[in-house]
Amino acid sequence: MTATTTETARTASGAPLLEVRNVCKYFGNVVALKDISVGVNAGEVTCVLGDNGAGKSTFIKILSGVHQHDEGELLCEGEPTVFTSPREAKERGIATVYQDLATVPLMSLWRNFFLGSEPTKGWGPFKRIDVRRARETMVSELRKMGIDVRDPEQPVGTLSGGERQAVAIARAVYFGAKVLILDEPTSALGVKQSGVVLRYIAQARDRGVGVIFITHNPHHAYPVGDRFVILNRGRLMGDWRKHEITREELVHQMSGGAELDALEHELRRTLDGEGAPA
């Protein structure tokens, strides 16, 4: 399978929601990213795969405004952009859900859903949080994601890992995320809870959000992915549409491809040598 490294996903207007072209990032003499080109379209899941040290964290930090790239271009809906802070990226519709989820375990579901952006009523000294509206909004938004909330006052820490991920995803979509970046959302979850999160990712995509799914697990990426990007030591190793690569080929590419074949051949030769008669 040949990777299509120059093709980028396009929106109906002709430009991706978010795109990087030949982006490079250096930390002193360390090359963290080199010539990375990826496009993210509305209503698609772009899976960025790679092992530890592949450059996934640096990549999403550039997209979310934590780091600024040193070379190349970052384009937001076709407009060359440099995000100077995560707040600036968020204002442009780029929402990032990290592994720690930025939730407060002892606070209620509805308080975690808004976290400083609660709806208010009244004015001046009589201005206060509109608790009823906040609860109803949270219940409605989570229901759209397929979650039936039993009690809005339930502490978020009592939820399962998959449910907490769903709350974070629903919160980002509600506050206008055009691009949703998910940093290893299934890494600490079991099979069942990972399936729950993957369904919510698909639902966010179906609502027109461009999703960037960062993972090291091709088995989690393939069911929901529309596009697969593999990074290795800061380099782009491949960029495929789903119809261009099978699950088995993706696993093979992710696990090292030719390097793994060479290792398997070497081990087989070693074992054959040990088993030969003296």
Side-chain angles (χ1 to χ4, degrees):
M1 180 66 66
T2 301
T4 56
T5 57
T6 57
E7 179 190 5
T8 55
R10 299 285 169 179
T11 61
S13 62
L17 287 176
L18 193 63
E19 183 181 10
V20 291
R21 296 178 182 171
N22 303 116
V23 158
C24 302
K25 180 63 182 177
Y26 309 105
F27 294 99
N29 293 327
V30 177
V31 180
L33 294 176
K34 184 67 174 179
D35 294 328
I36 305 299
S37 297
V38 179
V40 180
N41 201 2
E44 287 189 354
V45 178
T46 299
C47 299
V48 179
L49 300 103
D51 216 335
N52 293 334
K56 304 190 303 296
S57 295
T58 302
F59 179 65
I60 64 173
K61 286 177 179 177
I62 289 174
L63 298 182
S64 60
V66 176
H67 294 324
Q68 287 74 50
H69 54 284
D70 296 314
E71 296 176 10
E73 285 186 297
L74 170 65
L75 298 96
C76 187
E77 297 183 272
E79 178 186 343
T81 305
V82 176
F83 297 133
T84 58
S85 68
R87 180 181 294 275
E88 187 176 335
K90 188 174 181 181
E91 289 172 352
R92 294 293 299 272
I94 315 300
T96 304
V97 178
Y98 293 101
Q99 293 181 43
D100 59 13
L101 299 178
T103 56
V104 184
L106 296 180
M107 288 178 63
S108 65
L109 276 170
W110 71 268
R111 290 303 297 267
N112 269 280
F113 187 86
F114 287 97
L115 275 183
S117 300
E118 293 84 357
T120 59
K121 60 182 179 181
W123 57 277
F126 304 103
K127 189 174 183 180
R128 60 197 184 279
I129 295 175
D130 190 340
V131 175
R132 180 177 178 180
R133 180 181 164 198
R135 288 175 177 173
E136 291 176 349
T137 299
M138 185 273 301
V139 170
S140 173
E141 291 301 313
L142 290 185
R143 188 171 291 134
K144 292 177 184 177
M145 299 291 292
I147 305 174
D148 188 14
V149 177
R150 297 177 293 273
D151 179 10
E153 295 293 341
Q154 179 181 356
V156 78
T158 63
L159 299 181
S160 68
E163 289 172 328
R164 288 198 296 272
Q165 285 283 353
V167 170
I169 292 171
R171 180 175 67 193
V173 173
Y174 173 74
F175 282 105
K178 297 178 182 179
V179 176
L180 177 62
I181 303 171
L182 302 174
D183 180 22
E184 299 275 6
T186 61
S187 62
L189 303 180
V191 175
K192 185 176 180 180
Q193 289 300 321
S194 294
V196 170
V197 174
L198 295 180
R199 283 197 295 271
Y200 298 141
I201 291 174
Q203 289 177 15
R205 173 194 61 196
D206 293 344
R207 293 176 68 176
V209 178
V211 181
I212 302 174
F213 178 18
I214 309 294
T215 182
H216 64 271
N217 191 327
H219 297 289
H220 291 172
Y222 199 80
V224 297
D226 299 293
R227 187 182 198 87
F228 305 96
V229 174
I230 295 180
L231 300 181
N232 184 16
R233 299 177 184 175
R235 265 71 172 181
L236 181 65
M237 304 305 295
D239 182 353
W240 298 268
R241 290 288 192 174
K242 193 163 192 171
H243 69 272
E244 297 174 320
I245 190 168
T246 65
R247 185 198 304 261
E248 291 71 26
E249 289 170 329
L250 183 64
V251 172
H252 186 67
Q253 292 291 338
M254 173 67 187
S255 59
E259 293 180 12
L260 194 62
D261 289 340
L263 176 61
E264 182 179 0
H265 179 72
E266 180 181 342
L267 291 174
R268 186 181 299 115
R269 185 175 57 189
T270 301
L271 291 174
D272 290 344
E274 290 178 353

